[in-house]
Amino acid sequence: MKVLPAMMVPVLLATLPACSMRKQPADGSTGEQIYRDSACATCHGEDLLGTGSAPTLLGLAENWEREALVEFLFEPSAFRKGNKRLVKLDLQFSADMPGFANLSDDERDRLAGFLLAQ
């Protein structure tokens, strides 16, 4: 469990509604539509540049293979345990990355494809 400075609590509380704002993507949604419908922009920004609570999503292809990113999107907390880079990155931001078990494998794959193309 992370211990946050008191000044970060309002930022964290502001991100909590993001999970409840998720919409199930329509059949055939593009990766970009899935990004919007899954409320990713709440933490990562509409422009994917990141915010105070989550990192940028630009340039992910430098560190990710598509299959690994799809796996990460399913359950980020389990995936990052064995990855020093992700553990370090996680400590820099206030929001915990939620999992996307609500998405199908194909939807997570489309989302990953969109993110890796940025």
Side-chain angles (χ1 to χ4, degrees), residues 50-106:
T51 65
S53 59
T56 182
L57 296 178
L58 299 178
L60 291 183
E62 294 175 23
N63 294 300
W64 288 95
E65 296 293 328
R66 190 172 183 139
E67 288 181 20
L69 185 54
V70 170
E71 184 181 336
F72 172 78
L73 291 170
F74 181 74
E75 192 176 354
S77 61
F79 190 92
R80 91 175 135 247
K81 285 180 184 176
N83 186 307
K84 290 179 183 180
R85 182 183 65 80
L86 293 178
V87 169
K88 182 179 177 182
L89 190 62
D90 185 50
L91 294 173
Q92 296 174 6
F93 296 94
S94 60
D96 280 331
M97 174 75 179
F100 291 89
N102 64 307
L103 298 178
S104 69
D105 290 341
D106 184 57

Side-chain angles (χ1 to χ4, degrees), residues 43-57:
C43 296
H44 294 284
E46 291 291 333
D47 53 10
L48 289 85
L49 289 174
T51 65
S53 59
T56 182
L57 296 178

Side-chain angles (χ1 to χ4, degrees), residues 7-61:
M7 63 188 231
M8 291 303 297
V9 172
V11 173
L12 180 59
L13 291 176
T15 64
L16 289 178
C19 292
S20 64
M21 294 186 314
R22 288 183 182 178
K23 297 187 292 184
Q24 193 60 33
D27 289 341
S29 292
T30 65
E32 183 175 7
Q33 290 167 323
I34 295 168
Y35 180 84
R36 284 195 316 267
D37 290 346
S38 297
C40 302
T42 303
C43 296
H44 294 284
E46 291 291 333
D47 53 10
L48 289 85
L49 289 174
T51 65
S53 59
T56 182
L57 296 178
L58 299 178
L60 291 183

